Amino acid sequence: MKITLLPGDGIGPEIVAAAVDVLNATAKKFNFEIEYDEQLIGGAAIDGTGVPYPEATAVSAKAADAVLLGAVGGPKWDDVDPTLRPEKGLLQIRKDLGLYCNLRPMSVSKYTAHLSPLKSERAEGTDMLIVRELTGGIYFGEHNEAKEINGVETASDIELYTRPEVERIARFAFESARKRGKKVTSVDKANVLASSRMWRRIVTEMQANEYPDVELNHYYVDNCAMQFVLGPRQFDVVLTNNIFGDILSDEASVIAGSIGLLPSASLGDGTGLYEPIHGSAPDIAGQGIANPLGTIYSVAMMLRYSLGKDEAAAAVEAAVEKVLDEGYRTPDLYAEGLKRVSTSEMGKLVADAI
Ligand code: IPM
Ligand code: MG
């Protein structure tokens, strides 16, 4: 298996190193070999090569079976040209690899339910999969940076979707729902946006024609944000566009109690990319206190979706459960009576459990 490692910025290198320990233990246990190729992305790539997504990174990623990414961005690069920001590296690799489908599973674990800002009886038992469109919409529509038009400073960004883009992401959501709770909630802003009205029409059509066995409902995004807090258990698969998915997945993550535990997979027609949903957390970088479990769970998703190793994926998830069950916690999840461990210690514990 060829894996491209893109540690990136901030806590990225620490959490990726811990996840690599786990991946190595998994490879040993399940008898396969991994060849790593570490490359630059984001701020680290800007510092090293002048651009956030260098050609060498693109070449390596395309040749790999999967990409494991840490995080990008930080205050150091806040003032660089907008076309060269670290985040641009992430957007470019998503587009370049055709990663139109972003899966962000969120479930409320018994280890974190008490950390949820929601009352535990409301949060407990929540288990949803956010299916976010990742290579279209306002993120990739024309961006017009601020300039004077008719004497007034003006800027704009275009939200644009085509039918094939909506169909392929909706298909992914319906297919995922068939393997889960058989319910899709499609989120849009059809009361205001033309792109949303087309989105809703296509999704409705597909359900009627191809997925009558899957229950479908629609929420406007503002109502959906409210429903996440009022009754998160009502959701199974949440299907939405790029920007609404960005916002709703952050909201969902805190309901789980900690953003540090949540993984993601970005899939398309070629190499898949795996990363925790949190950012680069520059404030705690280099201190060995970041939680690597979101990245380790991303490794489990990688094993399942890109490497075809379901058993190994389940072993990684079981190993994390075991370590948490034994009371080991990184500082973000620590409470009295538990055992506080560092980022790398957590990685080693999970690797040993495998
Ligand atoms: C995410 C992040 C990215 C996004 C940023 C870093 C560009 O917030 O993956 O959710 O907006 O997609
Ligand atoms: Mg985000």
Side-chain angles (χ1 to χ4, degrees), residues 104 132 246 250:
R104 298 188 166 185
R132 168 189 178 194
D246 177 45
D250 266 34

Side-chain angles (χ1 to χ4, degrees), residues 8 15 33 51 89 125 133 172 193-194 197 222-224 267 274 276 290 294-296 299 322 327 329 337 343-344:
I15 55 177
E33 272 178 29
V51 293
E133 199 292 323
F172 213 106
L193 304 177
R197 285 189 282 274
D222 49 350
N223 183 29
C224 186
L267 308 173
Y274 300 82
T295 318
I296 291 171
V299 162
K322 179 167 183 279
R329 299 286 189 279
T343 310
S344 61

Side-chain angles (χ1 to χ4, degrees), residues 15 20 28-30 38 44 93-94 97 100-101 132 138 151 164-165 168 200 213 237 242 254 269 288 300 302 307 353:
I15 55 177
V20 164
K28 204 164 157 202
K29 164 96 181 175
F30 291 89
E38 189 171 321
I93 194 171
R94 287 173 179 170
L97 299 182
Y100 63 87
C101 177
R132 168 189 178 194
I138 201 164
E165 286 176 313
R168 67 183 178 179
R200 186 178 286 221
D213 54 315
V237 172
N242 205 342
V254 291
D269 302 319
M302 170 194 284
L307 307 185

Side-chain angles (χ1 to χ4, degrees), residues 11-330:
I11 58 172
E14 302 160 60
I15 55 177
V16 166
V20 164
D21 281 345
V22 174
L23 194 50
N24 285 335
T26 313
K28 204 164 157 202
K29 164 96 181 175
F30 291 89
N31 265 313
F32 59 96
E33 272 178 29
I34 301 179
E35 203 182 291
Y36 295 104
D37 184 23
E38 189 171 321
Q39 294 288 343
L40 298 170
I41 195 156
I46 296 173
D47 291 350
T49 71
V51 293
Y53 180 52
E55 181 60 22
T57 302
V59 169
S60 170
K62 283 176 194 158
D65 292 294
V67 177
L68 183 64
L69 189 144
V72 298
K76 182 174 173 198
W77 304 281
D78 271 352
D79 296 324
V80 304
D81 182 280
T83 59
L84 287 178
R85 286 184 64 95
E87 290 80 1
K88 202 74 192 174
L90 192 52
L91 300 182
Q92 284 170 345
I93 194 171
R94 287 173 179 170
K95 195 70 170 179
D96 198 29
L97 299 182
L99 305 170
Y100 63 87
C101 177
N102 184 218
L103 302 178
R104 298 188 166 185
M106 183 286 252
S107 57
V108 178
S109 133
K110 63 178 178 208
Y111 305 106
T112 56
H114 66 286
L115 296 172
S116 176
L118 296 190
K119 295 192 181 83
S120 347
E121 68 263 27
R122 212 169 258 199
E124 260 166 34
T126 300
D127 182 2
M128 66 167 90
L129 175 67
I130 297 179
V131 178
R132 168 189 178 194
E133 199 292 323
L134 201 61
T135 52
I138 201 164
Y139 273 56
F140 293 94
E142 202 179 298
H143 302 296
N144 295 298
E145 296 298 332
K147 64 167 183 287
E148 286 223 351
I149 298 181
N150 300 329
V152 185
E153 195 175 7
T154 306
S156 67
D157 304 272
I158 309 278
E159 168 84 354
L160 181 150
Y161 272 109
T162 62
R163 172 178 277 270
E165 286 176 313
V166 178
E167 283 180 352
R168 67 183 178 179
I169 191 71
R171 179 153 289 117
F172 213 106
F174 284 121
E175 294 290 339
S176 308
R178 271 192 177 152
K179 296 182 209 132
R180 299 174 39 105
K182 294 201 163 45
K183 180 175 175 188
V184 169
T185 300
S186 176
V187 182
D188 61 41
K189 189 70 188 171
N191 49 349
V192 176
L193 304 177
S195 52
S196 278
R197 285 189 282 274
M198 181 185 79
W199 177 285
R200 186 178 286 221
R201 183 162 42 75
I202 294 171
V203 172
T204 305
E205 231 173 73
M206 286 175 71
Q207 190 269 342
N209 298 338
E210 297 176 57
Y211 298 97
D213 54 315
V214 178
E215 190 192 330
L216 172 67
N217 74 324
H218 304 273
Y219 278 143
Y220 298 138
V221 63
D222 49 350
N223 183 29
C224 186
M226 189 170 72
Q227 294 299 331
F228 268 24
V229 178
L230 285 177
R233 270 196 301 270
Q234 70 183 283
F235 296 95
D236 177 28
V237 172
V238 177
L239 162 65
T240 194
N241 72 6
N242 205 342
I243 191 157
F244 298 158
D246 177 45
I247 298 165
L248 290 173
S249 59
D250 266 34
E251 186 188 4
S253 76
V254 291
I255 295 172
S258 166
I259 195 170
L261 287 180
L262 297 193
S264 81
S266 301
L267 308 173
D269 302 319
T271 312
L273 181 145
Y274 300 82
E275 55 174 323
I277 83 152
H278 60 70
S280 60
D283 53 319
I284 60 162
Q287 299 175 33
I289 60 174
N291 187 344
L293 293 179
T295 318
I296 291 171
Y297 275 130
S298 300
V299 162
M301 292 187 89
M302 170 194 284
L303 288 162
R304 188 168 286 129
Y305 292 107
S306 282
L307 307 185
K309 304 212 173 283
D310 286 359
E311 209 190 331
V316 170
E317 287 159 355
V320 172
E321 285 284 305
K322 179 167 183 279
V323 168
L324 288 172
D325 216 55
E326 288 167 353
Y328 295 104
R329 299 286 189 279
T330 41

